[in-house]
Amino acid sequence: MSTDKFINLISAHTQRWRDVDMTGSLSTETVLAIERAEATEYLQLLVIGGLRSSTQSILNISRLTRIQRLRISGLQVQWDDSPKLPLLRILTVSFTTLPPIHQLHALLKTSAMLESISFHNIDEYPRGRDDGVQTSQPCTRGDVIPLSNLANMHLNMVPSEVSTHLLTHLACPGPLSLAGNHLNQSVLQNQSFTRLMPAAIITFQRIRVDITGGGLRVHTDNGDHIKDRTAEADGPGFEDFLDLEFTLANLGQMTGIAQNLGVLLESKRITLTVRRNSSDTIRVATDLIPALNSIDDIWVVGGRTLGEVVGILLEKCLGEWGDSVWAAPRLQYLAVQDVLEGEEENAISGLCRLWERRYASLKAETSAGFSTNSLVPCLPLHRLLVSDERMIERILEEDGFERIIELSIVTGNDYNR
């Protein structure tokens, strides 16, 4: 039986539909059947996709008052009315537009049962009426969107106005799997972000911060496994993860960002990865490493990059108790990978400079983990990993290294240890 014949057969009974899942190239008959199904009182699931070429708005969202799971892809939606979807648990929208922020805000605020929000590949944010809610300032109590059941939120290729608003107005008390890319730096500058961020990181002991040529990424390992599955997310069930990306263009004004991120992550162990060709980002985010006091693990790619990182590690900062400490005072593991031919001398020179100025004066480690004789306390470097044997041979020629650090060859698998 063809699709059209099947639709013709069941379209006379749209009032009995409970779940609707239609994707692909839909005929006019199918579209008409969906329109009739909108008025179905007990429709609980609606999945529609594959109509990106359609010029017709076939879905009036305000009619779906009993909908629990709604997934829309490539479909022009009529957002004119402010819908109230009090039973909605799963909301996934992709390859189309979202309503203006004031309407989206109202929709979410009346959908208190939401467990999962997924917006990806959203078309340009529609402007028009005044949005009514400011996204650049901390929101007031009346502006907060309380979603006590929210467990997953994915924001992939979403206009910055939308992502900023959601990340600074939602309030959820429990653990939250959170992913967002192309975020505006104003998110980290907004005090209201602290409502959401602690919930997202509460279940994790280790956070990864990556500095690349393109910007800054804060994530857990789990985020790598789920990052490209946003389109398939249909509610809770994914592993907990955190994955937030800020582009270099959006990090141009770093005032307060590093400090805010440091406060949010102060109770977590942090692995910092600095990729090759990240000089521009390092210059923009110079105060990031000193702000992240709980960094205990740094991975550096390239000899030139190592020199830039060493320069930061040799800076003195104001410690928790007002004393003078090295940047990243809890650093114990340092890995240097992919040093190219011609970069070895610079890499060795950087490591020697780091050892002589930061670690050579450290004496026996006390039970508290700090040197009793150092005026600038930091933990001793426990392990140094390098990418080839020649560098180990050169390092061992330098007096003192072998007394305080374990030398190892780093492989690709070591990164995930």
Side-chain angles (χ1 to χ4, degrees):
M1 181 183 295
S2 68
T3 301
D4 287 346
K5 287 184 178 180
F6 177 74
I7 292 298
N8 287 334
L9 179 64
I10 65 173
S11 61
H13 306 281
T14 54
Q15 74 278 4
R16 299 171 57 188
W17 289 6
R18 298 295 182 271
D19 296 350
V20 176
D21 188 340
M22 298 180 180
T23 58
S25 179
L26 305 184
S27 66
T28 302
E29 290 77 10
T30 303
V31 171
L32 291 174
I34 294 172
E35 289 178 335
R36 289 193 293 272
E38 290 174 20
T40 300
E41 183 178 1
Y42 297 104
L43 189 63
Q44 297 179 5
L45 176 145
L46 180 59
V47 178
I48 308 178
L51 295 181
R52 190 167 178 79
S53 60
S54 174
T55 59
Q56 183 181 16
S57 296
I58 67 168
L59 183 63
N60 185 335
I61 203 78
S62 63
R63 299 179 185 177
L64 304 176
T65 56
R66 289 182 175 267
I67 199 75
Q68 296 182 24
R69 290 183 290 166
L70 180 62
R71 183 189 294 171
I72 303 168
S73 179
L75 177 69
Q76 293 192 23
V77 179
Q78 182 178 333
W79 298 105
D80 295 344
D81 299 322
S82 295
K84 294 183 179 180
L85 308 178
L87 303 181
L88 188 64
R89 295 189 299 108
I90 311 299
L91 176 61
T92 302
V93 181
S94 62
F95 296 101
T96 186
T97 58
L98 287 171
I101 283 183
H102 71 281
Q103 289 185 355
L104 179 62
H105 186 99
L107 168 64
L108 297 178
K109 200 163 187 177
T110 58
S111 304
M113 297 181 67
L114 268 172
E115 300 172 8
S116 176
I117 298 172
S118 177
F119 297 150
H120 60 101
N121 294 89
I122 298 299
D123 293 339
E124 183 63 29
Y125 169 64
R127 304 179 189 275
R129 294 206 307 258
D130 180 15
D131 286 329
V133 183
Q134 298 295 321
T135 61
S136 60
Q137 300 295 326
C139 60
T140 64
R141 178 169 301 191
D143 290 332
V144 172
I145 304 173
L147 295 177
S148 59
N149 296 325
L150 190 66
N152 292 289
M153 184 161 69
H154 309 249
L155 305 173
N156 182 19
M157 302 295 291
V158 173
S160 61
E161 296 93 337
V162 174
S163 59
T164 298
H165 188 84
L166 294 178
L167 291 172
T168 56
H169 286 74
L170 293 183
C172 58
L176 175 69
S177 295
L178 176 63
N181 62 9
H182 295 79
L183 300 181
N184 193 295
Q185 49 86 18
S186 63
V187 170
L188 282 175
Q189 289 179 315
N190 193 306
Q191 296 176 8
S192 299
F193 184 53
T194 58
R195 285 194 189 94
L196 192 65
M197 187 69 166
I201 66 176
I202 195 171
T203 59
F204 305 111
Q205 293 301 313
R206 179 169 295 280
I207 302 292
R208 296 188 180 273
V209 178
D210 292 357
I211 295 177
T212 69
L216 176 68
R217 180 182 173 204
V218 181
H219 67 107
T220 56
D221 287 333
N222 306 44
D224 293 323
H225 304 308
I226 310 173
K227 188 176 178 182
D228 296 326
R229 294 170 57 185
T230 306
E232 301 174 5
D234 194 18
F238 289 99
E239 287 184 272
D240 291 343
F241 69 96
L242 172 71
D243 197 344
L244 301 176
E245 293 185 12
F246 301 84
T247 64
L248 177 59
N250 286 334
L251 291 174
Q253 298 176 348
M254 284 292 294
T255 306
I257 290 181
Q259 182 179 1
N260 291 344
L261 189 58
V263 171
L264 287 168
L265 301 181
E266 63 182 352
S267 63
K268 306 297 178 182
R269 290 176 293 174
I270 298 177
T271 293
L272 176 70
T273 302
V274 187
R275 308 287 181 182
R276 192 184 300 278
N277 300 322
S278 57
S279 299
D280 290 341
T281 308
I282 292 175
R283 279 195 293 270
V284 169
T286 302
D287 56 345
L288 182 65
I289 295 178
L292 300 180
N293 289 326
S294 54
I295 293 174
D296 63 356
D297 195 353
I298 295 182
W299 292 71
V300 180
V301 180
R304 178 180 176 183
T305 309
L306 175 64
E308 295 171 331
V309 172
V310 166
I312 297 175
L313 291 176
L314 292 179
E315 295 179 357
K316 298 177 182 179
C317 316
L318 191 64
E320 183 178 1
W321 306 106
D323 52 344
S324 181
V325 298
W326 293 115
R330 302 177 190 175
L331 177 64
Q332 289 188 286
Y333 301 91
L334 176 63
V336 184
Q337 293 182 285
D338 298 332
V339 176
L340 302 178
E341 186 176 354
E343 293 183 335
E344 289 184 3
E345 290 301 323
N346 287 336
I348 296 297
S349 173
L351 289 173
C352 289
R353 191 157 48 100
L354 179 66
W355 184 85
E356 290 170 357
R357 291 184 53 185
R358 177 168 170 140
Y359 295 111
S361 62
L362 289 179
K363 304 301 180 182
E365 185 180 352
T366 67
S367 58
F370 290 102
S371 166
T372 57
N373 295 319
S374 175
L375 296 177
V376 189
C378 65
L379 290 175
L381 191 63
H382 176 69
R383 189 180 184 195
L384 174 65
L385 299 93
V386 294
S387 55
D388 61 65
E389 295 181 2
R390 290 174 300 172
M391 284 193 63
I392 283 189
E393 293 173 356
R394 288 292 312 278
I395 290 171
L396 288 175
E397 293 175 0
E398 303 294 333
D399 182 42
F401 266 98
E402 73 284 354
R403 290 190 287 109
I404 62 168
I405 48 182
E406 171 189 339
L407 294 173
S408 303
I409 294 286
V410 61
T411 66
N413 292 330
D414 285 327
Y415 182 81
N416 297 316
R417 62 175 180 78

